[in-house]
Amino acid sequence: MIIMMNAPTIDQINRVLDKLRQLGLDGHSITSLDKTIITASGDLSACRPELYERMPGVDKVVIVETPYKLASREFQNSNTIVTVDKASFGGSTIPVIAGPCAIESYDQLYQAGISAKAAGASMLRGGAYKPRTSPYSFQGLEKAGLEIIKTVGSEVGLPVVSEVTDPRKVELIAEHVDMLQIGTRNMQNFVLLKEVALTKKPVLLKRGLAATIEEWLMAAEYIMSGGNNQVVLCERGIRTYETYTRNTLDLTAVPVIKHLSHLPVIVDPSHGTGSWRWVSPMAKASVAAGADGLLIEVHPCPEEALSDGPQSLTLNNFSQLMAELNTLATALGRSL
Amino acid sequence: MIIMMNAPTIDQINRVLDKLRQLGLDGHSITSLDKTIITASGDLSACRPELYERMPGVDKVVIVETPYKLASREFQNSNTIVTVDKASFGGSTIPVIAGPCAIESYDQLYQAGISAKAAGASMLRGGAYKPRTSPYSFQGLEKAGLEIIKTVGSEVGLPVVSEVTDPRKVELIAEHVDMLQIGTRNMQNFVLLKEVALTKKPVLLKRGLAATIEEWLMAAEYIMSGGNNQVVLCERGIRTYETYTRNTLDLTAVPVIKHLSHLPVIVDPSHGTGSWRWVSPMAKASVAAGADGLLIEVHPCPEEALSDGPQSLTLNNFSQLMAELNTLATALGRSL
Amino acid sequence: MIIMMNAPTIDQINRVLDKLRQLGLDGHSITSLDKTIITASGDLSACRPELYERMPGVDKVVIVETPYKLASREFQNSNTIVTVDKASFGGSTIPVIAGPCAIESYDQLYQAGISAKAAGASMLRGGAYKPRTSPYSFQGLEKAGLEIIKTVGSEVGLPVVSEVTDPRKVELIAEHVDMLQIGTRNMQNFVLLKEVALTKKPVLLKRGLAATIEEWLMAAEYIMSGGNNQVVLCERGIRTYETYTRNTLDLTAVPVIKHLSHLPVIVDPSHGTGSWRWVSPMAKASVAAGADGLLIEVHPCPEEALSDGPQSLTLNNFSQLMAELNTLATALGRSL
Amino acid sequence: MIIMMNAPTIDQINRVLDKLRQLGLDGHSITSLDKTIITASGDLSACRPELYERMPGVDKVVIVETPYKLASREFQNSNTIVTVDKASFGGSTIPVIAGPCAIESYDQLYQAGISAKAAGASMLRGGAYKPRTSPYSFQGLEKAGLEIIKTVGSEVGLPVVSEVTDPRKVELIAEHVDMLQIGTRNMQNFVLLKEVALTKKPVLLKRGLAATIEEWLMAAEYIMSGGNNQVVLCERGIRTYETYTRNTLDLTAVPVIKHLSHLPVIVDPSHGTGSWRWVSPMAKASVAAGADGLLIEVHPCPEEALSDGPQSLTLNNFSQLMAELNTLATALGRSL
């Protein structure tokens, strides 16, 4: 933390230094012409700019420390590998999670799962509890959906992931799936983050709709500080002024996260773009950017989907994409 | 819903009309040169563009209906008045809700409350459960905080409002306060919205950090469709590229909401700007724009605040602002 | 400028200090544990973070100085008053500039002008050279438009303002109008800024569509450093993700600009919101926020306007708004 | 254009149809319950929603036509190939334009050029006229810079591109370079667009800082409607709320542009991300997304660069990137 003071009196400088000392922080001041700068170091969580911003003589307070700790590369230099059955995120492989947005029926999920597996997917996804913008939209099959995904996952031989939205349902869902998804609207639902931390299940943490990279890592920090280190981050597009695409896929976040954090980061080009038409090029771009995996919506019959049909690939499209991704991964020295 | 088709065959047009009919919608087609437009009317919730977007011949589907119903002026033309004890939102008065961001102690809240009351505030606010970006930040006094706010409210004679963040705590909080606040990070926590709907307590619904006006009204719709019509909307700034202010206060949302909805809308210039320096001018601007109330952070000692100190007014600043707001409200034919 | 170094060697620190010295800057280093911070002061324009960011041992470079100088309150504490004939921006009066977006004919502008004057407007506006998104849209009457606005201004007794878009036309336009407008799309057209600086005419500098407050003040700095101090800033809405309104009017920019700069700042609620429906409430909010003036689109017949009709007030609406603004200004101790 | 009317009278419908007819448009109305929809077709440029939006009975006007014509795939289905000497944009090759942000000296540009050529670059870039946010920053070598780039291009055997910022300098610059660049701040400088249209030189049109894809294509339309079809679009990052990276690179724009337009689209990951650290992964991602070329900042000594040093690759980094891009392009069935 750096505290900038404009033409302060000696007394004003000392009051700032005293306050730092009271909170166990180490402060040093340096004066040059009429500017004084105080640097503070020590326990990160005691760096609270608001305590100093209104003290007399203080002009500006800048936090230069990263607010996340467990999630940072400084804390752990080597990549965290998150393993979900045979899928492994964070190493040289690039697992692909495929499946429909919402679980609609056993048949629908089974078809999706068996084809996804055949095409080379490593995990099956499907929502049983759906956070929908409208109270009048389909809200998911709930408990029945959980039973379907558990059954189908076991039948087709793929580990499964499904979204949690309610802290009261975390335990139930954890009994049915191999990985818990925190959706974009719940990235800062801290109550829910603390709850999934307790399960010790791997967590797929989607980036919030308008979350900064720092806030996203802080959400991971909530889960990790709660005792669960098995966090996979998922870029899924951010909200910008551009309306042609549903969201703006922020692919630069991939190398940025790999630089700042040891956690794996995957990409969801389906939500990230909002249309099946852009899924294949952006899936390939994600892999070239260094993503640790992909999450792709696949539906046996997208035009009948009860949720997010326009962004789902058909089983054929998906199968073709997987072939192209294989070639690409090989050229980059990796594999799906 | 309007379905645009580009050079369709007769058969393609008929398939769209058939699908509309199956879902109970009324469809009409009109063809001009090589373009065909199909208009669909009927039950709003059956208008699902994704069912048509990938049908052969379809170019584009545009929803022209508003997705919210109970919250709309079309559904109810006269203003909803939400009454919390003597405070009344939506009529000619402009109640001011004042208090600290977080409840820190009985003394702190009592001082804030007694001064706010003296200056003319209509309600007292204070957070007991705080959603904080960092797991290492102060998370609120929790149950002890609830007891403090209940006591202080009763002692100073002001109804009180506090935030809910956990569906499991809604009942407990509702027993201690007169109004429940849904914070900006939980505007699309649908599980929580459904839970506050069940309490029948008035709800203060803050706009999400990057929520559109339509999504905000849809969040109100969740509460209303759950049986609770006592919703007060609160504009609190949105996230934009501008970083000089913490958020960009979208004051135009006030007349827009008054036009689209019968619900009252108030403004929080403290969070909306992020600095006490801009609170007074923006509070006045809010009233001039037609706001139905204000929510202002006031702290007996902002530089010691455990949360959001930089944006809190001192008790003196608040008192002076209230005097200015009184003059302004009178000139506009209203009163605080 | 602050240069942060992570566990640097003595040699690395010295290389940074040497480079600062070469560029005439005064550098001091302070080391605490494994962090070293170097503060640099001196000639602002020599503070170039890019020279240090890649030097060995350097972690981060933060500019803490404001990049604008002539436009800052630190440079000049007292308000600049920009006078255009009888209109005076920056003092206790709140001049209103009214008129159509584009000059379409003598009759149209005369009607707008005579009514605006009668309602109490202080200046007349109208575009002769229109920057339009589409090459197929009406591009303005050009030279003929300039002659119309000069004539009408003189006949109705109002000073006039019109937009410049081409450095080759600045002189011509300056001969016909009392104030030059730099439009939102040209805020960073530095060639044009330098050219209007040479005219010594008052300049109305609109904020760019996605310009930060700092960039906006830097654009003013271009004009001022070119020798022209008569700059009036105009907030006109910024681009955000919200699409219900054409732009998001950033009214907090008004008190922020008044704090950072001595230059006057006015508001254009017509472009700022994009619809006549929100112009009146936002004009009032602008005045309450402390604006030094208003720019309002008025058209004798908005539904026939060749440009921006939907956001223009009718002459009647404008007249009624002026009456309301008068009451409001009086209550705030100011006058139109 | 679709005009929606809410419970209109027959007379109101007829007035809309009459107005359409007057402007040469073909209108059809369809009524269903209390809603009437009028569809209009005919000359695109006569579709002006503002003429109808305020007519009695009209609720909403929606433009469904794309506003650009010459730039659209509908107008020309086959890809436009823009050829600059041996570089060819829009076909199976992926030309790389490399060089420093600003031309600083003959030696600097020669070193950059000779190395870029050796590494496989197809064109050399360098700015002689620099649009800088601050009037106190280096503004370019101007005419001397043009002579340097002309000489160096010829000596190293690469065609060259440089930015135009002033309509009065377009002819001069066109005499010295093979391709004219319109920078991000001038994308909607329509005066400049019209001027480069007259030169018939290939134009590199950068996307505006906060431009929509539609506005970007409209800027291309300005150049094309002025008689110059040789336009190469360049994605270079957009402004969003995320501040960790300087801009948010919108890579999805690549497949979107390829779908909407026949024009080539390349990517500038240097400006698009703002740091050399993200240039390599995002260059690879651009190629995987289907880009028709790359523009990469390369500087012999980035830490001494007078402009944008932090985002420039060293000559070694560039050379290594080119090798990686070659492998990638081959795997995708293309070549640099």
Side-chain angles (χ1 to χ4, degrees), chain A residues 203-217:
Chain A
V203 177
L204 184 63
L205 177 63
K206 289 203 154 190
R207 183 177 185 177
L209 191 59
T212 62
I213 287 172
E214 188 172 295
E215 290 168 341
W216 189 16
L217 288 172

Side-chain angles (χ1 to χ4, degrees), chain C residues 132 136 185 188 221-222 305, chain D residues 132 136 185 188 221-222:
Chain C
R132 301 300 299 273
Y136 310 122
R185 282 175 186 75
Q188 291 197 318
E221 190 83 6
Y222 256 96
Chain D
R132 301 300 299 273
Y136 310 121
R185 283 175 184 75
Q188 291 196 318
E221 189 84 6
Y222 257 95

Side-chain angles (χ1 to χ4, degrees), chain D residues 5 28 30 55 84 132 149 151 157-158 166 202 226 243 267 292 312:
Chain D
M5 306 184 74
H28 291 273
I30 174 170
M55 291 184 73
V84 187
R132 301 300 299 273
I149 198 169
T151 305
L158 288 178
D166 186 337
T243 54
V267 178
D292 291 313
S312 296

Side-chain angles (χ1 to χ4, degrees), chain A residues 180-196:
Chain A
L180 299 169
Q181 179 181 313
I182 297 287
T184 194
R185 284 175 184 75
N186 285 309
M187 191 202 84
Q188 291 197 317
N189 183 337
F190 305 118
V191 167
L192 191 63
L193 297 179
K194 288 175 184 170
E195 205 68 33
V196 299

Side-chain angles (χ1 to χ4, degrees), chain C residues 90 216 232-235 253-255 257-258 263-267 290-293:
Chain C
W216 190 15
V232 176
L233 300 163
C234 179
E235 161 65 28
V254 171
I257 288 284
K258 299 301 290 176
L263 295 174
V265 57
I266 71 169
V267 178
D292 291 313

Side-chain angles (χ1 to χ4, degrees), chain A residues 88-125:
Chain A
S88 174
F89 299 87
S92 66
T93 59
I94 307 169
V96 177
I97 307 173
C101 185
I103 302 164
E104 295 164 24
S105 69
Y106 170 84
D107 285 350
Q108 170 242 22
L109 194 67
Y110 183 81
Q111 269 190 66
I114 202 81
S115 305
K117 168 87 174 182
S122 298
M123 284 186 68
L124 176 64
R125 59 153 291 160

Side-chain angles (χ1 to χ4, degrees), chain A residues 10-242:
Chain A
I10 299 291
D11 185 55
Q12 288 171 342
I13 296 174
N14 284 336
R15 283 168 65 189
V16 171
L17 291 171
D18 284 352
K19 179 164 264 185
L20 288 170
R21 211 166 298 128
Q22 281 164 28
L23 292 164
L25 290 164
D26 200 24
H28 291 274
S29 78
I30 173 169
T31 297
S32 162
L33 303 177
D34 60 342
K35 306 276 183 188
T36 291
I37 289 184
I38 295 175
T39 61
S41 53
D43 176 20
L44 186 70
S45 62
C47 285
R48 296 182 42 228
E50 58 269 31
L51 294 183
Y52 309 92
E53 272 170 351
R54 286 163 64 140
M55 290 184 74
V58 172
D59 186 39
K60 215 178 190 174
V61 184
V62 179
I63 291 282
V64 293
E65 292 84 4
T66 46
Y68 44 88
K69 188 182 156 199
L70 305 175
S72 75
R73 276 261 181 229
E74 290 175 24
F75 181 78
Q76 178 189 316
N77 190 46
S78 63
N79 284 353
T80 286
I81 310 282
V82 176
T83 302
V84 188
D85 197 69
K86 283 176 216 143
S88 174
F89 299 87
S92 66
T93 59
I94 307 169
V96 177
I97 307 173
C101 185
I103 302 164
E104 295 164 24
S105 69
Y106 170 84
D107 285 350
Q108 170 242 22
L109 194 67
Y110 183 81
Q111 269 190 66
I114 202 81
S115 305
K117 168 87 174 182
S122 298
M123 284 186 68
L124 176 64
R125 59 153 291 160
Y129 296 87
K130 299 299 304 168
R132 302 300 299 274
T133 305
S134 166
Y136 310 120
S137 295
F138 174 61
Q139 309 271 319
L141 292 182
E142 307 194 338
K143 188 152 192 307
L146 291 178
E147 281 156 15
I148 290 172
I149 198 170
K150 185 172 186 174
T151 306
V152 170
S154 150
E155 288 175 356
V156 305
L158 288 177
V160 298
V161 56
S162 198
E163 182 170 355
V164 293
T165 60
D166 186 337
R168 298 167 298 193
K169 298 277 167 57
V170 169
E171 204 178 317
L172 174 72
I173 298 175
E175 286 164 11
H176 288 79
V177 301
D178 304 287
M179 187 181 211
L180 299 169
Q181 179 181 313
I182 297 287
T184 194
R185 284 175 184 75
N186 285 309
M187 191 202 84
Q188 291 197 317
N189 183 337
F190 305 118
V191 167
L192 191 63
L193 297 179
K194 288 175 184 170
E195 205 68 33
V196 299
L198 299 174
T199 65
K200 316 294 175 198
K201 283 261 172 180
V203 177
L204 184 63
L205 177 63
K206 289 203 154 190
R207 183 177 185 177
L209 191 59
T212 62
I213 287 172
E214 188 172 295
E215 290 168 341
W216 189 16
L217 288 172
M218 285 309 286
E221 189 84 7
Y222 256 95
I223 299 170
M224 298 175 86
S225 69
N228 184 345
N229 294 311
Q230 301 299 295
V231 179
V232 175
L233 300 163
C234 180
E235 161 66 29
R236 47 77 68 207
I238 59 173
R239 180 161 279 181
T240 71
Y241 68 84
E242 174 62 72

